[in-house]
Amino acid sequence: MGNQQRSIVITGGAGFIGSHVVRLFVNKYPQYNIINLDKLTYAGNLENLKDIENQPNYTFVKADICDYETILDILRQHNVDGIIHLAAESHVDRSIRDPFTFARTNVMGTLSLLQAAKTYWESRPEGYEGKLFYHISTDEVYGALTFDGSLFTEQTKYQPHSPYSASKASSDHFVRAFHDTFGMPTIVTNCSNNYGPYQFPEKLIPLFINNIRHRRPLPVYGKGENVRDWLYVVDHARAIDLIFHKGRVAETYNIGGHNEWKNIDIVKLLIKTVDRLLGNPEGYSDCLISYVADRKGHDLRYAIDPTKLSRELGWKPSLQFEEGIEKTVKWYLDNQEWMDRVTSGEYEKYYEAFYANR
Ligand code: NAD
Ligand code: TYD
């Protein structure tokens, strides 16, 4: 594993999870050619990859996955044999306001990427041999659990509720259809909520860390009783690496770390950690908690059963949640400039600035 040369497109590599996957692959596999293909929407930030942007095995290409002809050119130009597909619209609240963008990118974008891969790989003398289309999905496609202790397995029926999860479910079906119809080697993984450095501050954890620091209200939806299953983003990237190299084609793997938390308990843990690290007295920021109207269709509970992944491939998460949250809070407090540039929009100028200087 890992000694041969490969040319791998990682879509959405300028986003939160994608940037960790790109970093891991660029550093771990100097013999691979890693192409980060990203449209740079509001969620794409090349500053996330400053530390590896000059590595000889890394290339950034600004492109939209919906643009079939451009994608086909990129696959041909770089002789791509592997695709790790993370590009997506990813925020549930935005999907409630603007579902069309989610259908366009997550459904039509994934289909255009699949069709481009099919056209290119079928044109090669070796066909699909040595190729892999690895699609990164979410546990949200399985719908919502109650508080009965049950878990999402790979056999759980798809029952998406939000426009985001409906669009991801549809993209998963297209990926499996390309395997079943054309014989394309595909893998799908469904992961639980990620947290860690470089997450766009519209999501719960970075938004609340930043708000606590600036003494702004913390908008807890409903009663704060919804449960999410949290995984440190680097552990997700490690799982993706393992599955890309050792996963069985046509399979689905659920990724999660048996780490369920009620939102309100996370909010209290964040307050405690930020206050301690900033030297504030205990309880100083409790008054910021502000219960607001619930999210429409808010899924009650997500929880992953990762048994298949640990049994078949020996994966397990490396960090306990309290340790991961400590690292994450420290990272956001130490990288206030990153946060300021994201919240002010300055980060969107980085692409032109970086590429103008090449
Ligand atoms: P993100 O929103 O931080 O990043 C998405 C990236 O995709 C951005 O860089 C954006 O510029 C790019 N992108 C969006 N539309 C594009 C298009 N049309 N063409 C090319 N690039 C485009 O998302 P994330 O949180 O890093 O999630 C990455 C993937 O992992 C998504 O597919 C998401 O569904 C999945 N996922 C996320 C989580 C989570 O907790 N964040 C959990 C499980 C699965
Ligand atoms: P989020 O980070 O948006 O991830 P997802 O919706 O994909 O699980 O939200 C995590 C949980 O936190 C979810 O139950 C909604 C809740 N939440 C709030 O209570 N307030 C907020 O401002 C946000 C962004 C989320």
Side-chain angles (χ1 to χ4, degrees), residues 304-325:
I304 280 278
D305 179 354
T307 307
K308 176 175 173 184
L309 178 59
S310 56
R311 192 188 54 231
E312 281 191 19
L313 300 181
W315 178 86
K316 60 175 186 334
S318 67
L319 278 188
Q320 291 299 309
F321 190 59
E322 284 79 355
E323 204 185 333
I325 282 291

Side-chain angles (χ1 to χ4, degrees), residues 91-92 140 193 202-204 207 219 221 228 263 295 298:
H91 190 41
V92 174
E140 306 193 23
N193 284 60
E202 61 187 352
K203 306 274 168 63
L204 180 76
L207 176 70
Y221 298 161
R228 297 290 181 267
N263 290 342
R295 173 186 277 173
H298 197 172

Side-chain angles (χ1 to χ4, degrees), residues 100-144:
F100 282 111
T101 304
F102 283 69
R104 180 183 179 275
T105 291
N106 299 358
V107 185
M108 292 306 290
T110 300
L111 178 55
S112 118
L113 194 61
L114 283 162
Q115 186 68 14
K118 172 182 181 292
T119 304
Y120 173 55
W121 287 341
E122 288 187 356
S123 76
R124 305 281 308 160
E126 74 282 6
Y128 287 119
E129 207 185 309
K131 311 295 192 298
L132 182 63
F133 189 106
Y134 177 4
H135 176 62
I136 308 299
S137 191
T138 165
D139 59 357
E140 306 193 23
V141 297
Y142 296 123

Side-chain angles (χ1 to χ4, degrees), residues 22-23 37 74 80 98 126 186 213-214 284 293 318 341:
V22 167
R23 177 175 298 100
L37 188 163
I74 295 166
V80 169
D98 174 22
E126 74 282 6
T186 59
R213 181 180 183 131
H214 291 291
Y284 180 67
S318 67
R341 289 176 64 76

